Structures are given as structure tokens and as C-alpha cells.
Amino acid sequence: MAFDIEMIKEVYARFPERIAAARKAVGRPLTLTEKILYAHLTEGPATQAYKRGASYVDFQPDRVAMQDATAQMALLQFMQAGRDKVAVPSTVHCDHLIQAEIGAEKDLNKAKDKNREVYDFLASVSNKYGIGFWKPGAGIIHQVVLENYAFPGGMMIGTDSHTPNAGGLGMIAIGVGGADACDVMAGLAWELKFPKLIGVKLTGKMSGWTSAKDVILKVAGILTVKGGTGAIVEYFGEGARSLSATGKGTICNMGAEIGATTSIFGYDQKSAAYFQGTGRADVAAMADEIAEHLTGDAEVYAAPEKYFDQVIEINLSELEPHVNGPFTPDLAWPISKFAAAVKENGWPAKLDVGLIGSCTNSSYEDISRAASLAQQAVDKKLVAKSEYTITPGSEQVRYTVERDGFLDTFGKMGGVVLANACGPCIGQWARHGAEKQEKNSIITSFNRNFAKRADGNPNTHAFVASPEIVTALAIAGDLTFNPLVDSLTNSEGNAVKLDEPSGLELPNKGFAVEDAGYQSPAEDGSKVSVIVDPASDRLQLLDSFAAWEGTDLKGLKLLIKAKGKCTTDHISMAGPWLKYRGHLDNISNNMLIGAVNYYNESTNSVKNQLTGAYGEVPATQREYKAQGIGSIVVGDENYGEGSSREHAAMEPRFLGVRAILVKSFARIHETNLKKQGMLALTFANPADYDLIQEDDSIDILGLTEFAPGKALEIVLNHKDGSQDTISANHTYNEGQIEWFKAGSALNLIKAKA
């Protein structure tokens, strides 16, 4: 597969001039983030200093990466864009549709058969439009991108919220919805509000049980799930330079859990070693030539408080291993305090399953360190008390760790190797007994642990930790076990203690693979046919959304007033629904079924204002749509956090919801709503959320004068005849208002084509 060397040369050729112009325009030293952003402006060298968190800016990314679940809708949209070929290097990765149940080989074969129609569609549409295609079993998108495509100083967008994984190699990599990907593949500029900057200074050096995962678990505890919203997190300092390239990828990957736009590390010797180890020595050589531009200016790192909006400092020499959770990735516990927290909160101390791998922690280093503990268990005659699974991140990693004996070591401990795919991390886990909804605990090296995410059981207490800690706790079978200080009783009745884990950043014999699983696209795709069966329940060609009717919106019914956390998992669940990601009508039957109704504390139960009866959310909305009645969804803080899935925006749009009114939005979801021609509004006064009543009929006024920075008026018509009038803010600019008027951003693209 191509490493896009010519494209990288073009990017690096413009760096010195662009960065010099940007430094002059800003009038001060630059952070690494600013250098890369300014180098990717569509209008050439910077001519102004953009206001952080306020100015919308057009960029031209270097590449697009899509995972199979979101690629379906992205490419169905791209097929309408009127282009013969993608304008930038793009890839599709088949990692989301493989369900974990028995083991790698059987699960993969089952997935290939079950999802054949979708895989054939993705392979053919990729072949037609010049897109690289990574087959099922090739690996998880972010690990494959790190091994093959990420490069320092580049800019990539991807249809997955953990796209920032590539920031470990110095790339501005941002998760987006399929509509954004469609724009970039069609050759259009990509718009982003110029981010705020958070600097994380790492000092010291890790040792013992501490790993890179603990850095981001600590940061998540500091910033919470929304503390990074609208910001890019830039890591620097001697501690940053001491981390492996894949460890940096882990940290950047989980930056999505704090709401960050992306996270990034500068180019250094660890980066160069990884490029050389993955067959890309030429990339390292090119980066070495402009190394001064692939890190922040020295003056910035000498006085970071002057150049970042917020600065956090972490001493790696003092950092403890952490365990975060349950039910949210920002509830951070140092290992020394975790056992007490388990007991005080009444969480199930018995550990049922430990799971390592995923896109976050599936590198050679991660697996080798976990395997060192598995070997200890065998040598010290310890029998693992919990189930234990291993998910390799790519076929290259899987093949190499099998060659080096690590998979055999896990097998001796009782571990089960799963397919090179997302699996349990995204709910693709046929966990036996989960349907009983019993209270239990699991611990993973994944990135998210929202309720029901892994196995569909709301009573599964999911915790997140490093692969090393997960492995140690799985051996113990007890969440109150602290491997740093506690002993275990082996099969001979002796007390034994686990030694510190050890591993290698890169394999001594180099990486190896027989078939990486890559399909190159046709040179000329004009004769390639993309066939979608009209009778399919998995794939459905798209129809254009209707343009705005040119009037204010009146008489909207309240569909649901969501209470508390409402992630994209709540709005559009994954798991068994993944099979419908290419069929908008069918997947719309999961719309908001996980959201908690403020009025009855139930999920998937809302009042139908036409009948007065309570029913399922999608069915109720379909009745409104059949009657030609629009509706509105009201939500709480950070609405739409989590996955980048644009289905969470397309489903309400398709079923006739006209507006989403919340206290605050997560970045990606707000953009996705705008792209689909929805109104994404926030309460000017968050306390007005309390004024919304269950039987309200709602008017949105001021749309005929819709303009940037101008609030809209919301009239709440209550059942008793009274009214409340409140103000709603928005962040639409002129271009985004045109999306709304046209009915969607795609409608504008088609019109131009």
C-alpha cells in the first residue's frame, strides 16, 4: 500500500514559508498545534491571528480515514457529490462489524458471511472512487493508520471519534461525521472553529507499573469528559519525549474522552524509531529535515502559561497507575485508593472479565508488557480467576506477537484471542449471560465505559486501566487487589507477588505479516459498478433532505426532554444496530431509545401528544412525521458526547425532528446536526431547561432573519394556555446558515457539482 510520499513532500515543502508567515501574523512564537493549523489553511500563509474558540477557519486536510460502520453513510453521501474520484488520499477500514463471541477465526468468518453485502459494497465503492480498502480482519482503523499513514505535521480527518490516535506521531487528526468526510473527499475546504489550546507539560520518566495509559487517565480526571471541548491538547516536555510513539498514540486516542478536538505530541527520536520500525524510514528522513517545524517553538515551552489557554503539569516519576470508572471515563482513581473506592461505593469487587487491546492499547509494547505478567502467572503457578481476552490492533501486530510467542503465553494463562477488530469496545460482544442484567464488574484497556456500552447490560460496572493493570486484576479476579503491594496465593498455597511488567516498544526481529489485508483501488474506476439491492435491509441509497420552507417553525411537538448524560450511544446505539448503518430508515428505529425521559425517568418511553399515550420514541416521532408535524428534542449538558456517528444527527432529521435545544453540545455532534440541515440551539439561560413542559407546543421565531450571533426566540405554548418566551443561542456562521436553508450541506455540494 502507498505511504503517500509525494503528498508528504508537498506538505513539508510549504511548511517553512507558511510557518514564517504565521509567526509574523501572530507576532509571537508558535505552538506546534498552531504551526500545523496555519500550514493547512486553504488560503495559503496566515494573514491574521484567529481568535481561539470563536473564529471559523477553512482548512485543507491531507487525507481521510473511515471505519466501516460510518463509511457506509459517508460514501452513500459521496456518491451524490458528482465526483469521479476522491480529491485526497482516503481509506476504508473494516473493523466495527465483527462481533466477538468465540474467538478470532470463527468470529471473523461469521462476520464475513453475515456482513458480506456491506463489505462488498464498501470494497466496490472504494474501488470505483480511488479509495484504499482494508479488509475485515486487517485491523482496527487507528492502529492501521498509525502503522501506515500518520506522519508528523499532517492533517487528517476520520469518521471516528478516536481518529486523534494519529496525534501520537505528530499529526493533527480529528474525528468528524461522514458529511465532513464527504466534503473533503469532494475537494472542498473543511471548516473548524479555531481551537483553544491546552498544554500538558510532562516531566520525569515513568517506571514500574505506570504506563502511558495512566497519563490520559490522570488528565481525564482533571479535565472531565467536557473539559477539553473546543480545545486541542498539546503534550510537551522531557517526559513527553521519553514516551514511546504508540504510548503517545494511546494518550491522544483517549483525548476524545475529555471532549478534545484532538491531541498531539511533537516529532522526536521515538517517532523516528517507530517510522523506521514500520518500514517508513523515508518519512523519518524527511521529517528530520524540517524537525524544527514539527515541534513548538522553544520560547513556548519555556513559558507555556503565556501561550496556552490552560496548562497542566504531570510528573511521570510520581504518577501512579490509575483505574477510571465505572460508567464514565473521567472518574479517576489512583491504584492506591481504588480498593477503598470499590468498598465504599459498593461496586462488585469480584472481577468477571478483563479485556485488553482495542484501538487504544493494542501495540507491540502493550501486548508484550501484558504478556510478561501472563508469563509470571504461569511461572508462579497462578490461575487467572477472571475471564481474559486479547484484541490485537492489526494483523501486523497479531502476526508479530504470535511469532514472538506472546499469544501462546496468553493461552497458557487461559486468555482468548479475539479478531483484529473493535469488538467489545464498541458493544460488538455477544457476552453470554449479559441478558440477565446481573450486577457485575469488568475491566478493560479500552477508552469508553458508558453504561451498557460493552455488553448491553446497564448493571455491568466497566472500569478502564492500562493493559498491565487489567492483566494483573484478571489474574487476581478481585478489583481490590493492588499488584504494586499485594500478594496472591498460588495453586500450591504459597503467597506470591507479581513483579513489575516489562516489554519492548518495538520487536527485536522487526514486524512481520503475511497478508496485511489491503486492497488497492482501480486506476480507472469508471467501469466499476456499485450495486445496492433496492430490497436490502442493510443498505439504502439516500434521498435529499427537503430545503427550509422559508418561514419560522411553529407548532413543534416536544418529542423528548432528555435528562442527564445523553451521548451518541444514547441517541443512536451501536451493538446490534451496527448492521443498519447503511440503511437510514431502518437504523432510525433506534433513535433516542437510550435517552432518559425527564418526565418518567424511563428510556424509550415518551408521551405522544396526538394520542396522550406513552410509546417508543421512534414510533412516536414517525406518527408526528406521518401527520406532517415537526418536533423538537431538548437536552442537558454536553449533549452528543462520545462517538462521532452522524447517524445521531441524520436519524432525527430523517424522521422530522427540526431542532435540538440543549444546555451545551459536544463539538462533533453539533457540527453533524448543522451539516444535516438541523437547528442546533442552546439555551441562552440554561435554567430555562426547567421551563419545558411535557405537553408543550413550541415555536422557533426569527428564522427569516437568521444571522450569525443573533439569538432566536423560542415560545413555549403550555397545555394550560400559558406561555413562556425564552432566548436560544447558536454558533452558525454564514456558510452554515446556507446549509440550513438548502436542507443540508450535501444539497449545496450537489448544486455546485
Side-chain angles (χ1 to χ4, degrees):
M1 71 294 304
F3 296 141
D4 306 318
I5 292 299
E6 293 306 315
M7 178 266 285
I8 298 174
K9 286 180 180 177
E10 291 178 11
V11 174
Y12 285 177
R14 66 175 182 256
F15 253 64
E17 180 185 350
R18 290 279 187 98
I19 291 172
R23 192 178 286 114
K24 181 178 180 181
V26 175
R28 57 170 173 75
L30 298 176
T31 64
L32 170 62
T33 301
E34 290 170 319
K35 289 181 179 181
I36 302 176
L37 290 178
Y38 281 119
H40 284 84
L41 291 173
T42 57
E43 298 180 356
T47 57
Q48 60 174 304
Y50 293 101
K51 185 177 180 183
R52 294 178 184 174
S55 304
Y56 279 97
V57 187
D58 285 343
F59 297 99
Q60 186 56 64
D62 305 310
R63 64 175 306 112
V64 174
M66 298 168 280
Q67 41 96 330
D68 51 353
T70 49
Q72 295 171 63
M73 195 59 68
L75 292 174
L76 285 166
Q77 291 177 86
F78 181 76
M79 288 171 66
Q80 300 184 67
R83 284 195 62 102
D84 296 328
K85 193 173 184 178
V86 292
V88 299
S90 304
T91 49
V92 168
H93 304 257
C94 295
D95 61 0
H96 271 55
L97 301 179
I98 302 168
Q99 187 176 51
E101 182 176 12
I102 300 168
E105 185 175 356
K106 291 183 179 179
D107 291 346
L108 179 58
N109 288 334
K110 183 177 179 180
K112 287 179 178 178
D113 182 58
K114 183 179 180 181
N115 302 309
R116 188 172 306 281
E117 179 184 14
V118 172
Y119 293 147
D120 287 348
F121 164 72
L122 292 173
S124 64
V125 74
S126 296
N127 200 25
K128 183 174 183 65
Y129 292 109
I131 299 169
F133 181 71
W134 290 83
K135 303 172 187 177
I140 307 174
I141 177 172
H142 313 303
Q143 181 65 27
V144 173
V145 166
L146 202 72
E147 293 173 6
N148 295 280
Y149 300 119
F151 68 96
M155 175 180 276
M156 176 178 73
I157 62 168
T159 61
D160 190 281
S161 55
H162 294 101
T163 299
N165 192 82
L169 283 178
M171 194 173 204
I172 292 287
I174 300 176
V176 299
D180 276 348
C182 179
D183 285 1
V184 174
M185 289 189 293
L188 301 181
W190 176 66
E191 185 181 70
L192 176 72
K193 189 179 288 186
F194 203 89
K196 295 181 180 179
L197 302 181
I198 297 175
V200 179
K201 182 178 182 180
L202 301 180
T203 61
K205 188 175 183 179
M206 294 184 308
S207 62
W209 285 88
T210 305
S211 75
K213 181 68 163 242
D214 299 306
V215 175
I216 186 58
L217 295 178
K218 172 78 171 179
V219 171
I222 295 170
L223 290 176
T224 78
V225 292
K226 64 177 184 177
T229 301
I232 290 180
V233 182
E234 183 174 322
Y235 291 84
F236 61 93
E238 60 174 338
R241 293 188 293 275
S242 73
L243 299 174
S244 68
T246 51
K248 293 169 185 172
T250 293
I251 293 169
C252 293
N253 178 297
M254 259 196 82
E257 286 13 283
I258 57 172
T261 301
T262 193
S263 302
I264 192 168
F265 283 81
Y267 175 74
D268 57 27
Q269 289 307 304
K270 296 286 189 178
S271 312
Y274 187 75
F275 284 122
Q276 292 158 359
T278 52
R280 292 175 290 169
D282 45 0
V283 175
M286 292 166 57
D288 286 340
E289 292 181 5
I290 62 162
E292 65 181 291
H293 300 306
L294 300 177
T295 185
D297 288 336
E299 300 94 326
V300 169
Y301 296 153
E305 293 80 6
K306 293 171 59 178
Y307 303 100
F308 291 95
D309 297 289
Q310 181 179 355
V311 177
I312 296 168
E313 186 168 340
I314 297 173
N315 186 339
L316 299 183
S317 301
E318 300 173 355
L319 181 65
E320 278 190 68
H322 275 60
V323 180
N324 286 24
F327 306 128
T328 185
D330 60 348
L331 187 58
W333 304 98
I335 192 70
S336 60
K337 298 180 180 179
F338 182 56
V342 171
K343 296 172 184 175
E344 291 170 7
N345 289 283
W347 299 327
K350 177 180 177 291
L351 180 64
D352 282 11
V353 192
L355 306 96
I356 69 164
S358 83
C359 67
T360 320
N361 281 101
S362 55
S363 67
Y364 187 90
E365 180 182 29
D366 291 324
I367 292 178
S368 65
R369 281 174 63 85
S372 75
L373 293 169
Q375 186 63 54
Q376 285 188 54
V378 174
D379 295 343
K380 298 184 180 187
K381 297 180 171 54
L382 290 167
V383 178
K385 301 291 181 59
S386 305
E387 292 181 37
Y388 183 70
T389 69
I390 305 95
T391 302
S394 70
E395 175 58 15
Q396 178 169 271
V397 166
R398 189 213 63 79
Y399 188 95
T400 304
V401 298
E402 181 179 44
R403 179 201 67 189
D404 293 350
F406 298 143
L407 297 190
D408 183 57
T409 300
F410 289 130
K412 291 177 182 177
M413 195 189 86
V416 175
V417 179
L418 301 177
N420 313 323
C422 300
C425 184
I426 60 163
Q428 283 285 52
W429 185 18
R431 186 184 180 191
H432 305 292
E435 71 281 355
K436 299 176 184 177
Q437 298 201 352
E438 295 175 337
K439 190 176 180 181
N440 73 101
S441 288
I442 66 173
I443 189 166
T444 80
S445 69
F446 306 161
N447 40 46
R448 290 197 174 133
N449 59 340
F450 301 135
K452 301 171 68 173
R453 179 174 173 91
D455 62 3
N457 178 4
N459 299 310
T460 293
H461 292 58
F463 298 88
V464 179
S466 68
E468 300 91 321
I469 294 297
V470 170
T471 304
L473 293 183
I475 293 170
D478 184 355
L479 286 181
T480 64
F481 172 68
N482 181 350
L484 281 70
V485 297
D486 296 338
S487 297
L488 295 169
T489 302
N490 69 8
S491 59
E492 297 178 345
N494 298 320
V496 296
K497 194 169 181 293
L498 293 172
D499 300 321
E500 296 174 349
S502 61
L504 297 169
E505 294 180 10
L506 295 165
N508 286 331
K509 300 177 185 177
F511 285 105
V513 67
E514 287 185 348
D515 179 7
Y518 178 74
Q519 170 189 294
S520 298
E523 285 294 326
D524 178 8
S526 61
K527 294 181 175 60
V528 177
S529 297
V530 180
I531 301 173
V532 176
D533 184 351
S536 172
D537 71 345
R538 297 288 302 270
L539 296 165
Q540 179 188 49
L541 295 177
L542 296 176
D543 292 323
S544 300
F545 290 134
W548 172 55
E549 52 269 70
T551 64
D552 289 335
L553 301 180
K554 297 184 178 181
L556 303 179
K557 300 298 184 185
L558 175 68
L559 176 61
I560 186 173
K561 180 178 177 179
K563 180 179 180 180
K565 186 184 287 286
C566 191
T567 71
T568 48
D569 279 288
H570 296 92
I571 304 168
S572 177
M573 288 184 176
W577 293 94
L578 280 171
K579 64 183 179 181
Y580 296 127
R581 283 286 180 87
H583 198 293
L584 185 53
D585 193 11
N586 284 344
I587 199 170
S588 293
N589 288 321
N590 79 357
M591 184 189 73
L592 285 158
I593 63 175
V596 176
N597 183 358
Y598 178 91
Y599 300 104
N600 59 11
E601 300 283 338
S602 299
T603 58
N604 203 21
S605 176
V606 294
K607 188 173 184 179
N608 184 327
Q609 292 192 39
L610 301 178
T611 65
Y614 283 84
E616 296 179 345
V617 182
T620 301
Q621 181 55 38
R622 285 186 186 274
E623 284 199 48
Y624 292 155
K625 182 179 181 180
Q627 297 294 325
I629 300 170
S631 64
I632 186 170
V633 170
V634 173
D636 214 316
E637 296 280 4
N638 209 29
Y639 182 88
E641 70 174 274
S643 171
S644 68
R645 66 192 65 149
E646 66 180 334
H647 299 76
M650 294 187 77
E651 292 172 31
R653 178 71 169 103
F654 176 73
L655 291 182
V657 177
R658 302 301 301 271
I660 310 293
L661 175 62
V662 300
K663 293 181 181 178
S664 64
F665 282 106
R667 175 191 62 84
I668 299 176
H669 188 61
E670 181 181 21
T671 299
N672 286 345
L673 289 168
K674 292 177 179 180
K675 287 275 184 178
Q676 301 305 332
M678 294 279 285
L679 284 173
L681 309 175
T682 56
F683 291 100
N685 178 7
D688 288 343
Y689 170 90
D690 298 327
L691 298 177
I692 309 292
Q693 297 180 19
E694 189 171 29
D695 293 292
D696 279 352
S697 177
I698 299 172
D699 304 331
I700 302 178
L701 309 180
L703 290 174
T704 56
E705 299 175 349
F706 196 9
K710 186 176 182 180
L712 296 173
E713 190 175 277
I714 309 291
V715 180
L716 310 175
N717 300 292
H718 305 307
K719 189 176 182 180
D720 63 5
S722 64
Q723 288 184 335
D724 279 303
T725 300
I726 63 176
S727 182
N729 294 331
H730 65 83
T731 60
Y732 288 75
N733 60 25
E734 293 286 0
Q736 294 167 346
I737 290 173
E738 291 306 309
W739 299 344
F740 168 74
K741 291 179 178 179
S744 71
L746 183 58
N747 286 354
L748 284 183
I749 295 175
K750 287 193 291 187
K752 292 177 182 178

